[in-house]
Amino acid sequence: MRLPLEWLHDYCSPGLEAGELATRLAMTGTEVDRVLHHGVGELDAFVVGRVLAAEAHPDADRLTVCRVAIGEGAETQIVCGAPNVAAGQTVAVARPGAVLPDGTKLRKARLRGVESDGMILAEDELGIGIEHAGIMVLAEDSLQAGQPLAGVLPIATPVLELEITPNRPDCLGIYGVAREVHAATAAPLAPPPWSEDPGSFDGDVPCEVVVEAGDLCPRFVARAFTGVTIAPSPPWLKARLMAAGQRPINNVVDITNYVMVLTGQPLHAFDLDAIAGARLIVRRAGDREQLVTLDGQTRVLDPAVCLIADGDGPASIAGVMGGARSEVSPGTTRVLMEAASWVGANILATSSRLGLRSEASARFEKGLAPEQALEAQAVATRLMLELCGAKLVPGTIDIGGAGADPQLVRLRDARVGGLLGVDIARSESALHLQRLGFGVTERSDGLDVAIPPHRRNDVTREADLIEEVARLHGMDDELPATLPSRRGAVGVLTREQRLRRRAEDALTAAGLHEIVGWSFEAPGRDDVLRLAPGDPRRRRVVLENPMSEDQSVMRTTLLGSLLDAAGLNAARGQGAPGLFESGAVYLAGGGPLPCEHHALGALVPGDVLAAKAHLEAVLAALRVEAAFTAAPQPFLHPGRSARVDLAHAPGAQLGWLGDVHPLVARAWDLDVVAAFEVDLGALLTHASAVPAYEDLTSYPELRQDIAVVVDTAVPAAAVLAAVRAAGGKLLGRAEVFDVYTGAQIAAGRKSLAVALAFRAPDRTLTDEDAAPVRERIVARLAEALGGELRG
Amino acid sequence: MIDRISELRAEAEAAIAGVGASAELENLRVRYLGRKAELPNLLRGVAGLAPEQRGPTGKAANEARQALEARIAERSGELEAAELDARLLSDTVDVTLPGEPARPVGRLHLLTATRREIEDVFLGLGFRIAEGPEVETVYYNFDALNHSPTHPARGRTDTFYVADDVVLRTHTSPMQVRSMEAQPPPLYVIVPGRTYRRDSDATHTPQFHQIEGLAVDEDITLADLKGTLLAFARAVFGEEREVRLRPHFFPFTEPSVEVDVSCFMAHTRERCRVCKDTGWVEILGSGMVDPNVFAHVREYGYDPERIQGFAFGLGIERIAMLKHGVPDLRLLYDNDVRFLEQFG
């Protein structure tokens, strides 16, 4: 919404610089996007001039050399290129030093050898119209040469570009903003422009209006005018429209736009003689019914669209755009001026479905008060009579009438202070509300507030009134900054949140960088990751309206995100950094909402054991014991991959790890990389957040190593399991620390070196204590795994 | 005899004082105190002296021997220290070489680091952290948050739909209602998490992160909101910061305010890229919880006549970019290590 201050000042003139006013509005709830200057600069250089003589230029056919009076006996010579310049005209003159709306600074010039000391201006050169065919001839005889032009025409004004929030359609008109400025600054507010209505309510308007779709059209107000002369609007009106961002067209259309900008209520002017059958019907469109709108487009409608039809069919899309057939044209002499209210939700739906937004629909879609229709009609009537030489046909069509009587809402003093944390006197609350147009009546505990029509949709409850009072009272120094009493509130991370941080920190401590990937990816990723048809990770959450096919399904594993990031870094010459992500994955099904779980995944240069080392760092940080079993994943190297389970609850799979399958890695142009992913949420439930004390220091442990030779196929985990099973209570720890295959070991066999640590809680163990345990271990290895001691 | 002892002692002491290396000192010890040396022999010969000479001579010889032993020990300590010093001084490493072996340092992503920083501020203010689903029902995302049925944010141009009644959450605010369903007041909670809107340009990505805040009790006020956000702004942007509230409109708060923080950049003659010389930077939207929101959870102990509260929602990306001067949102999602290494 563009607010020309020159126009605003007709109704409220707070005497503030544009910037100061912008700040005041921003701090009371009306956001100001920009402060602009519209029109010319260096106002002193613009004066009224009188052309004393106009003679042909000696050396140019199209130029005229003019002698122009510019006040107090001063004359100047101006070479003018306009065809319509003539002696005796009163004109607008820019003198050297003047700045035109496009920023051009005017200088003395010589045109074909003749000196020109200024410029006689056309409308567009002043930014007050679009006319450029000739200079603007000022009609008023009362004007004196030399008079400042700015006193005659609004040739320059600051303009505030306002961002009106959707709850305040009343501020989509100059007078509505003036009311807001009045409340924000206490500057006096002039009576509304509709306070005097020259119209009448008795008489027969020569057109019938039938509202069939009353549910979509709360009010329809129309008046008829005869003897209309279609002509350009006067300069002051064009200037205001230009400053407000509207393009002048002709007096009748300009009046509809002027009244819309002033009151916030859009209007539509029909050529009364083009209304077939002199009858308008407000109804729902038929399926696939068509209409050519003012912009020349053919629109295909449906029954959700409300339209205004005449005897020949659709004439206008209600509240959105008029039709070409019945629009005002240069030959129009009889006008039906329509101002109606439409249901905002329906206008919004219609304009978004047709892809057609207009100044009118942007206002209607927010829901205007029915009262505004008659207000706008009153202003339009006055202007039609003043500017178009029109005669008003007595009578007013008014279907639907005004809205409901004002609602009364109680505003309790105690609630004001209780909600805001600062006490505001009842008298102050009353003052703010009255300035905004609310009616107030004092009650014992506060105020009874009558909601005016223009705030009917926005203000319905006490909290809404408190907001009005609060924003005008001020929230800067006027509002203290306190902290809540926080009864019983204790800020603490949950166990899961604390442990999740610990898991992430374990990976950064191990040198990995965290990434944040996209939650959505391309559906084709299922195939790139080689997921089998029945793989649960193909159960994608699918977006119905993605921004692109590449981001149309939600990820079911972090692997794609990790490969994306690794691939980007590799392509940018950053090698293959170790990366991890901690975030959600999404599996469709299982209820109204998909199954989301928090996953932790990493991608590292190197092989499966490099990935495992990082996963073990996480497991150690969380004190979770996991079991690893060779198992395939479609996107992993089949001989170098494992599933990860809880050690004490096999079958509850936590995740996987392994070398990324070379065909998958190749899709991202990556070399050998390995990855893991675990369901972090599940993992954390098994973490030991509060370790219990164990005495490991009173008595030393007894350490012995053994080397056992087994078949290559026997996993180290099986050897350790046998060792632990046989070790009994005295065996504290058992860890594999070396694997050897080679000349000294038979083919198909390998040697595993295992470090054993024996301990007892109550004494220092000796070799004699350990010997029988060790024998049992060796026997068990032989029996269960065909293991033999080496050396 | 006693004279000879004195002579020997003086001679030895001079020699010890003059010695320059541990090995020479050992030679002196052998020469003066060794098995074949003169002084021990004199001591052994005391028995053959006249009885009246035995005492003084033995005493003198003993004293001389002890004195020499002490001098040798002392000198030995001096020499060893000097020799260690010399050895260490000649044993040098160029300390300007890099550490070895290098210990790689991984970093949390800037968004995680910023999220944790903000979480920690609110933990200190007594808030707990709640998390909720990213794929959310229309009820929690819009209906229960007082969005009118025609609110434009519901449109398919703005919001990702998974089904007619299921969306990717457009804010972390749905957890307001879920949290209130789960716990009666007083409730102090923040909700960090991933959010989605159909927007993509230099300042919008279709996926972004928010932190929602909610405080509900019988006496929470707008002034409390201001104080809480002031504490937050000072913790994150510096102790000298101020905040200001500007009235605004959001469907689920009433009154609603946008919150600006005073600019934290050093202002020079050039136009400030952060505040555009206005002195203020918008950081979040907030307000007092709309009674219509409480009406959805009335049966959980949230009677709008009895309780009240504030809510706010901030963008983690925006806070991170402002604080660290990151110019383009998309850098956060490229995951280029040269970017990642700079933060966390």
Side-chain angles (χ1 to χ4, degrees):
Chain A
M1 162 87 192
R2 283 170 63 100
L3 176 71
L5 295 191
E6 175 275 324
W7 195 347
L8 170 75
H9 291 164
D10 275 6
Y11 302 101
C12 186
S13 186
L16 297 174
E17 291 290 311
E20 291 170 340
L21 179 61
T23 303
R24 186 69 197 132
L25 283 172
M27 296 311 293
T28 53
T30 308
E31 198 163 330
V32 181
D33 278 346
R34 285 191 298 172
V35 180
L36 308 170
H37 177 85
H38 177 83
V40 302
E42 300 297 332
L43 285 183
D44 291 349
F46 292 86
V47 294
V48 173
R50 193 174 311 275
V51 181
L52 301 174
E55 289 163 10
H57 189 291
D59 291 322
D61 290 346
R62 295 188 181 170
L63 296 181
T64 309
V65 180
C66 304
R67 215 152 40 78
V68 184
I70 52 171
E72 291 178 11
E75 284 178 23
T76 189
Q77 175 171 291
I78 297 175
V79 178
C80 181
N84 65 329
V85 67
Q89 288 171 334
T90 302
V91 294
V93 172
R95 311 210 50 214
V99 176
L100 301 180
D102 64 2
T104 312
K105 188 164 184 166
L106 204 60
R107 295 172 206 287
K108 278 192 184 186
R110 289 183 81 80
L111 295 174
R112 292 282 178 97
V114 178
E115 189 158 298
S116 181
D117 197 12
M119 191 169 168
I120 301 175
L121 296 159
E123 276 182 0
D124 67 329
E125 289 158 342
L126 278 168
I128 63 170
I130 53 175
E131 187 59 52
H132 187 65
I135 56 158
M136 178 170 47
V137 180
L138 302 175
E140 287 86 346
D141 298 331
S142 59
L143 298 180
Q144 298 295 319
Q147 201 175 337
L149 190 62
V152 180
L153 287 171
I155 56 174
T157 177
V159 175
L160 303 190
E161 229 175 63
L162 306 180
E163 190 184 322
I164 303 300
T165 52
N167 59 323
R168 293 299 304 275
D170 61 302
C171 285
L172 294 172
I174 302 280
Y175 191 77
V177 180
R179 199 188 285 120
E180 198 63 35
V181 172
H182 164 61
T185 65
L189 179 69
W194 54 82
S195 48
E196 285 174 34
D197 182 359
S200 73
F201 295 85
D202 295 325
D204 287 326
V205 176
C207 183
E208 186 189 359
V209 175
V210 179
V211 176
E212 289 178 357
D215 55 329
L216 299 180
C217 176
R219 190 175 202 181
F220 192 106
V221 179
R223 281 179 180 163
F225 299 87
T226 57
V228 174
T229 306
I230 301 294
S233 296
W236 65 265
L237 190 147
K238 287 200 239 184
R240 284 189 165 176
L241 285 182
M242 292 285 287
Q246 302 276 335
R247 193 181 159 85
I249 295 168
N250 62 46
N251 49 5
V252 173
V253 175
D254 290 354
I255 285 170
T256 63
N257 285 328
Y258 183 89
V259 176
M260 173 181 74
V261 173
L262 177 58
T263 67
Q265 165 75 45
L267 304 95
H268 183 68
F270 289 92
D271 182 335
L272 186 50
D273 294 311
I275 298 175
R279 185 167 190 263
L280 291 176
I281 304 153
V282 177
R283 61 168 171 85
R284 288 182 155 74
D287 199 18
R288 307 207 59 76
E289 198 168 0
Q290 295 190 359
L291 167 68
V292 179
T293 40
L294 281 175
D295 55 7
Q297 303 268 319
T298 301
R299 308 284 174 174
V300 181
L301 313 177
D302 62 62
V305 174
C306 185
L307 55 76
I308 303 173
D310 64 8
D312 288 345
S316 163
I317 301 177
V320 179
M321 193 172 277
R325 192 159 50 78
S326 52
E327 73 178 305
V328 170
S329 64
T332 299
T333 58
R334 300 204 309 155
V335 166
L336 184 78
M337 187 66 76
E338 167 229 314
S341 299
W342 309 102
V343 169
N346 184 256
I347 298 297
L348 177 65
T350 297
S351 76
S352 52
R353 204 162 52 251
L354 296 179
L356 179 61
R357 279 191 107 229
S358 62
E359 289 274 347
S361 74
R363 287 175 167 80
F364 281 126
E365 71 186 23
K366 296 180 179 77
L368 301 182
E371 287 78 359
Q372 288 178 268
L374 190 57
E375 292 167 0
Q377 192 65 261
V379 183
T381 304
R382 181 170 57 76
L383 290 172
M384 287 293 289
L385 301 182
E386 284 175 10
L387 304 180
C388 304
K391 281 207 179 68
L392 174 66
V393 178
T396 303
I397 295 170
D398 184 357
I399 299 166
D405 286 342
Q407 187 196 356
L408 276 188
V409 179
R410 177 69 56 87
L411 178 66
R412 293 165 291 179
D413 302 337
R415 285 296 283 171
V416 176
L419 195 68
L420 300 179
V422 62
D423 285 328
I424 297 176
R426 186 186 300 173
S427 56
E428 187 193 331
S429 297
L431 190 60
H432 293 316
L433 291 169
Q434 282 169 322
R435 284 180 179 152
L436 288 169
F438 293 85
V440 299
T441 312
E442 197 148 341
R443 296 291 176 216
S444 62
D445 61 344
L447 301 167
D448 263 344
V449 181
I451 312 301
H454 65 274
R455 302 300 300 278
R456 188 184 282 132
N457 294 337
D458 176 36
V459 179
T460 57
R461 305 158 307 170
E462 190 175 34
D464 303 326
L465 292 172
I466 294 174
E467 172 169 70
E468 298 302 306
V469 170
R471 67 188 180 88
L472 292 168
H473 174 74
M475 299 177 176
D476 220 351
D477 294 336
E478 304 83 357
L479 182 71
T482 55
L483 285 178
S485 59
R486 290 185 287 171
R487 258 193 301 276
V490 177
V492 63
L493 291 173
T494 62
R495 174 179 178 282
E496 182 175 346
Q497 289 158 355
R498 197 169 67 251
L499 290 174
R500 193 191 301 152
R501 285 189 179 192
R502 189 182 294 170
E504 292 160 355
D505 291 344
L507 289 176
T508 58
L512 303 192
H513 292 305
E514 188 196 13
I515 65 157
V516 173
W518 294 103
S519 298
F520 13 64
E521 54 192 5
R525 193 146 278 187
D526 286 344
D527 296 328
V528 180
L529 293 178
R530 305 160 48 85
L531 300 178
D535 193 299
R537 285 161 297 207
R538 279 186 179 266
R539 288 201 336 251
R540 298 281 190 168
V541 174
V542 180
L543 303 186
E544 292 184 348
N545 55 337
M547 297 200 64
S548 68
E549 177 75 3
D550 280 350
Q551 296 193 326
S552 62
V553 299
M554 303 295 279
R555 64 185 180 187
T556 54
T557 162
L558 299 178
L559 184 59
S561 297
L562 289 162
L563 286 164
D564 285 341
L568 175 133
N569 280 289
R572 291 182 178 180
Q574 300 304 306
L579 305 171
F580 76 97
E581 179 162 10
S582 172
V585 296
Y586 319 81
L587 286 172
L593 293 181
C595 169
E596 282 176 39
H597 73 254
H598 194 105
L600 180 71
L603 186 80
V604 297
D607 69 357
V608 56
L609 293 183
K612 190 179 177 187
H614 286 97
L615 177 54
E616 283 171 337
V618 173
L619 296 169
L622 300 176
R623 298 190 175 83
V624 173
E625 234 181 291
F628 299 85
T629 319
Q633 283 286 353
F635 40 78
L636 297 180
H637 183 311
R640 295 165 158 258
S641 50
R643 55 178 283 163
V644 185
D645 296 273
L646 275 179
H648 304 294
Q653 187 172 352
L654 295 175
W656 50 260
L657 73 95
D659 284 15
V660 175
H661 196 290
L663 293 178
V664 174
R666 190 188 297 166
W668 277 267
D669 283 330
L670 291 167
D671 290 333
V672 180
V673 285
F676 74 77
E677 180 172 322
V678 288
D679 180 341
L680 189 58
L683 184 60
L684 295 181
T685 60
H686 299 286
S688 164
V690 188
Y693 172 73
E694 194 184 346
D695 182 1
L696 298 177
T697 50
S698 294
Y699 300 98
E701 58 183 19
L702 177 67
R703 292 174 196 157
Q704 295 186 353
D705 296 342
I706 58 171
V708 58
V709 178
V710 292
D711 284 350
T712 329
V714 174
V719 170
L720 287 180
V723 168
R724 289 206 182 96
K729 275 194 208 158
L730 289 186
L731 180 66
R733 288 181 295 122
E735 285 159 9
V736 172
F737 66 92
D738 193 28
V739 189
Y740 174 77
T741 52
Q744 297 166 40
I745 306 290
R749 304 275 279 176
K750 65 183 174 187
S751 168
L752 293 178
V754 183
L756 306 175
F758 301 98
R759 65 164 46 257
D762 54 353
R763 66 186 197 281
T764 301
L765 294 181
T766 63
D767 285 345
E768 288 70 40
D769 293 321
V773 183
R774 186 185 159 107
E775 271 170 37
R776 282 205 305 275
I777 289 172
V778 171
R780 178 64 167 261
L781 286 169
E783 182 187 324
L785 302 170
E788 45 196 12
L789 276 198
R790 179 175 165 226
Chain B
M1 178 85 72
I2 286 179
D3 291 347
R4 179 60 187 154
I5 290 169
S6 302
E7 201 179 303
L8 276 172
R9 178 176 172 173
E11 180 189 320
E13 280 180 349
I16 290 166
V19 82
S22 301
E24 289 172 42
L25 189 65
E26 177 60 15
N27 289 342
L28 287 180
R29 195 190 60 77
V30 171
R31 186 190 311 158
Y32 290 106
L33 297 174
R35 179 167 290 279
K36 293 173 183 165
E38 192 177 350
L39 190 60
N41 282 335
L42 283 174
L43 256 173
R44 280 193 288 274
V46 167
L49 291 178
E52 70 278 12
Q53 286 182 337
R54 280 183 208 158
T57 307
K59 191 176 171 221
N62 248 333
E63 277 175 6
R65 194 192 65 196
Q66 282 166 6
L68 289 180
E69 280 173 350
R71 287 293 299 125
I72 287 171
E74 184 189 344
R75 186 67 190 142
S76 168
E78 288 169 11
L79 287 173
E80 275 173 26
E83 283 161 12
L84 181 63
D85 279 351
R87 204 163 62 241
L88 294 182
L89 282 173
S90 68
D91 178 22
T92 63
V93 165
D94 178 356
V95 295
T96 63
L97 287 171
E100 164 80 29
R103 299 288 171 196
V105 175
R107 302 287 186 184
L108 289 177
H109 194 279
L110 175 58
L111 289 174
T112 302
T114 306
R115 191 200 76 221
R116 285 198 194 176
E117 179 183 359
I118 297 168
E119 285 175 351
D120 290 347
V121 172
F122 283 102
L123 285 167
L125 289 168
F127 287 71
R128 291 189 187 233
I129 300 172
E131 289 150 306
E134 296 172 24
V135 187
E136 184 56 283
T137 61
V138 165
Y139 174 77
Y140 285 112
N141 197 79
F142 292 125
D143 301 346
L145 294 172
N146 199 37
H147 284 62
S148 70
T150 56
H151 195 284
R154 291 176 182 260
R156 284 179 179 251
T157 51
D158 289 22
T159 297
F160 291 108
Y161 277 80
V162 167
D164 283 347
D165 54 352
V166 180
V167 297
L168 301 191
R169 66 178 175 189
T170 58
H171 42 193
T172 46
S173 316
M175 277 304 288
Q176 282 191 19
V177 177
R178 286 182 179 273
S179 298
M180 290 191 281
E181 287 175 352
Q183 188 198 318
L187 177 68
Y188 294 81
V189 69
I190 60 166
V191 188
R194 220 173 253 205
T195 48
Y196 305 88
R197 289 182 198 173
R198 289 186 85 257
D199 257 338
S200 188
D201 57 40
T203 53
H204 297 89
T205 43
Q207 159 188 314
F208 58 104
H209 295 77
Q210 274 196 342
I211 294 184
E212 184 81 5
L214 178 68
V216 184
D217 204 340
E218 290 174 0
D219 54 2
I220 301 281
T221 66
L222 188 68
D224 290 339
L225 169 66
K226 188 177 184 183
T228 301
L229 294 177
L230 179 64
F232 157 74
R234 289 185 172 172
V236 172
F237 291 109
E239 282 306 316
E240 312 78 42
R241 298 289 82 77
E242 297 294 339
V243 296
R244 75 173 186 187
L245 310 187
R246 271 183 298 108
H248 197 69
F249 170 76
F250 301 110
F252 45 113
T253 48
E254 187 83 16
S256 301
V257 292
E258 284 191 320
V259 179
D260 300 335
V261 61
S262 57
C263 190
F264 41 83
M265 298 296 289
H267 279 190
T268 60
R269 233 177 290 167
E270 298 203 358
R271 182 176 157 87
C272 176
R273 65 170 172 74
V274 170
C275 74
K276 314 280 184 274
D277 285 353
T278 62
W280 296 94
V281 188
E282 183 187 326
I283 52 167
L284 57 85
S286 62
M288 302 303 289
V289 178
D290 193 291
N292 289 358
V293 175
F294 288 136
H296 286 278
V297 286
R298 190 191 297 268
E299 69 265 38
Y300 297 92
Y302 291 84
D303 175 1
E305 268 295 303
R306 207 177 52 73
I307 53 98
Q308 55 196 43
F310 66 68
F312 60 85
L314 58 87
I316 301 179
E317 278 85 351
R318 177 160 177 79
I319 301 292
M321 291 170 73
L322 282 174
K323 182 162 179 170
H324 299 278
V326 178
D328 188 330
L329 183 56
R330 289 167 290 206
L331 288 167
L332 291 163
Y333 291 105
D334 274 355
N335 296 306
D336 186 315
V337 286
R338 292 165 296 185
F339 178 83
L340 300 177
E341 280 169 348
Q342 297 176 38
F343 310 103

